[in-house]
Amino acid sequence: MQIFSKAHVYDFMGKRYIALAFSAILFFGSIFLLVTKGLNYGIDFSGGTLIQVKYENKAPLDKIRAALATDETFKNASVTEFGSDSEVVIRFSSSNSSIGSDVGASVGELIKDTGKFEIRRVDVVGPKVGSELRQKGMMAIGISLVGILLYIAFRFEWRFAMAAIASEIHDVVITLGAISLFGIDVNLDTLAAILTVVGYSLNDTIIIFDRIREGIQTSKNSDLDVIINESVSATLSRTILTSGTTLVVVVILFLYGGDMINGFALALIVGILAGTISSIYIASPILLWFKFSVDNYRAKEAEKMKARKERERHRAMFEKGVV
């Protein structure tokens, strides 16, 4: 399905400085948020206890807090609504061995006079486990970026690899900035969203790079900015359709999926938008900054093609028994 005509070439590179300025504001604004406000680590990464309680009627938050405050162990607990005014989440900053094995029963006993309720979920993560999960999560992102660098350097060329990594870092930082801005708990779900953003953005970038590489071989132009404009314009319909349909699904998840999935969905929304922009206005312009030579690349590809044909000729002669 073609929304935009392949024959029409849009001047994306002519507008790159405007887009780069906008991206720079988001990027450095995100870094500022991460430095000043930081991330709100959930119990998956910081360790702690989370208890989800469902009331028959509206949850009496003040009574719950007052009841918990009577016990030294729970006096600093955070009590917030969860999805509706009849459901609450009680969080403790760290797990405590003095609570006992059945922390749900202990909390239930303290708040038994606040109304009729049921405890739906109890999650307990030790500080050591949370720290290990946090380290492994950061390692997963780092390894994925290194893997991307090696893959693209092997498949394309080192300049393409550096451009793709810069694009991925742009997307991850802006996504983390949004997570910090909106106070989303950083947990395993959020990490999954970030890794999904990395993969999604890489897919867009690879498709555009493939078309650029093809355009270098087939275009009558030797100006890289013209070839990039032609390549991005040729893939524009695919980019809009893919990003648009994915966004529709994620926005629906955000609106109707409930609090359990809101953080995951919001991170994906920001990441998909950032990834779509970066594939066009971050990855591609970096090729221009690296003084990528179209003529040299064409000469190298011609040498590779010549060597490949020579190997195929020798193989054919060997199979025929000539040599």
Side-chain angles (χ1 to χ4, degrees):
M1 180 179 178
Q2 289 295 323
I3 300 176
F4 303 95
S5 172
K6 285 187 176 182
H8 186 81
V9 178
Y10 299 92
D11 186 18
F12 290 101
M13 293 301 97
K15 308 294 189 301
R16 68 182 183 273
Y17 294 112
I18 298 174
L20 285 170
F22 176 70
S23 291
I25 292 171
L26 294 178
F27 182 82
F28 290 108
S30 297
I31 291 177
F32 177 78
L33 280 171
L34 292 172
V35 171
T36 57
K37 187 178 180 181
L39 295 170
N40 181 30
Y41 290 109
I43 64 169
D44 288 343
F45 292 149
S46 63
T49 304
L50 180 148
I51 302 173
Q52 182 180 343
V53 182
K54 171 69 174 177
Y55 281 80
E56 281 193 353
N57 301 309
K58 184 177 179 180
L61 299 183
D62 292 337
K63 289 184 178 180
I64 297 172
R65 294 187 182 107
L68 293 173
T70 60
D71 190 302
E72 187 69 21
T73 303
F74 305 109
K75 67 177 183 179
N76 294 321
S78 167
V79 181
T80 57
E81 289 185 353
F82 187 77
S84 67
D85 59 7
S86 63
E87 199 157 358
V88 297
V89 164
I90 302 171
R91 288 186 177 90
F92 311 96
S93 60
S94 63
S95 60
N96 191 327
S97 59
S98 65
I99 296 175
S101 58
D102 196 349
V103 61
S106 300
V107 170
E109 182 65 24
L110 284 173
I111 63 173
K112 64 182 180 180
D113 296 328
T114 61
K116 192 171 183 180
F117 61 85
E118 66 171 318
I119 295 178
R120 290 193 162 185
R121 178 165 61 111
V122 178
D123 292 334
V124 180
V125 178
K128 184 177 180 180
V129 174
S131 177
E132 290 177 355
L133 286 174
R134 184 167 65 248
Q135 292 174 3
K136 289 179 179 179
M138 295 175 65
M139 188 183 299
I141 295 175
I143 291 174
S144 67
L145 292 177
V146 172
I148 290 168
L149 179 68
L150 295 175
Y151 167 72
I152 299 179
F154 174 77
R155 180 173 175 180
F156 294 94
E157 206 236 11
W158 70 269
R159 294 177 182 85
F160 285 90
M162 296 304 296
I165 288 298
S167 172
E168 297 299 318
I169 292 174
H170 165 274
D171 301 339
V172 170
V173 169
I174 289 179
T175 304
L176 288 174
I179 290 170
S180 176
L181 177 64
F182 294 106
I184 299 171
D185 284 346
V186 179
N187 49 36
L188 292 176
D189 292 339
T190 313
L191 175 62
I194 293 172
L195 292 174
T196 301
V197 167
V198 170
Y200 189 92
S201 176
L202 176 64
N203 184 55
D204 268 352
T205 303
I206 289 294
I207 288 173
I208 291 176
F209 279 179
D210 252 337
R211 187 54 65 95
I212 291 174
R213 183 173 61 175
E214 180 183 332
I216 290 172
Q217 299 298 322
T218 60
S219 177
K220 298 178 181 179
N221 293 287
S222 293
D223 294 330
L224 183 59
D225 55 345
V226 175
I227 294 174
I228 290 174
N229 284 335
E230 292 173 348
S231 302
V232 175
S233 297
T235 59
L236 187 58
S237 293
R238 178 261 168 207
T239 300
I240 296 300
L241 284 171
T242 304
S243 299
T245 51
T246 307
L247 272 176
V248 168
V249 175
V250 178
V251 168
I252 291 173
L253 284 176
F254 176 73
L255 294 176
Y256 302 106
D259 285 3
M260 286 290 292
I261 204 170
N262 272 2
F264 174 83
L266 182 58
L268 280 182
I269 290 171
V270 174
I272 289 171
L273 291 173
T276 302
I277 294 172
S278 68
S279 298
I280 299 173
Y281 286 113
I282 301 295
S284 299
I286 289 178
L287 296 177
L288 297 174
W289 295 342
F290 278 139
K291 307 295 184 182
F292 183 85
S293 173
V294 173
D295 293 331
N296 289 343
Y297 189 81
R298 285 173 175 169
K300 288 180 182 178
E301 288 299 309
E303 285 295 323
K304 290 180 181 178
M305 182 61 69
K306 183 179 178 180
R308 190 180 300 116
K309 288 183 178 179
E310 187 67 18
R311 288 195 299 271
E312 290 176 355
R313 186 177 70 84
H314 280 288
R315 186 183 299 112
M317 293 175 64
F318 178 80
E319 291 174 352
K320 291 179 180 180
V322 176
V323 291

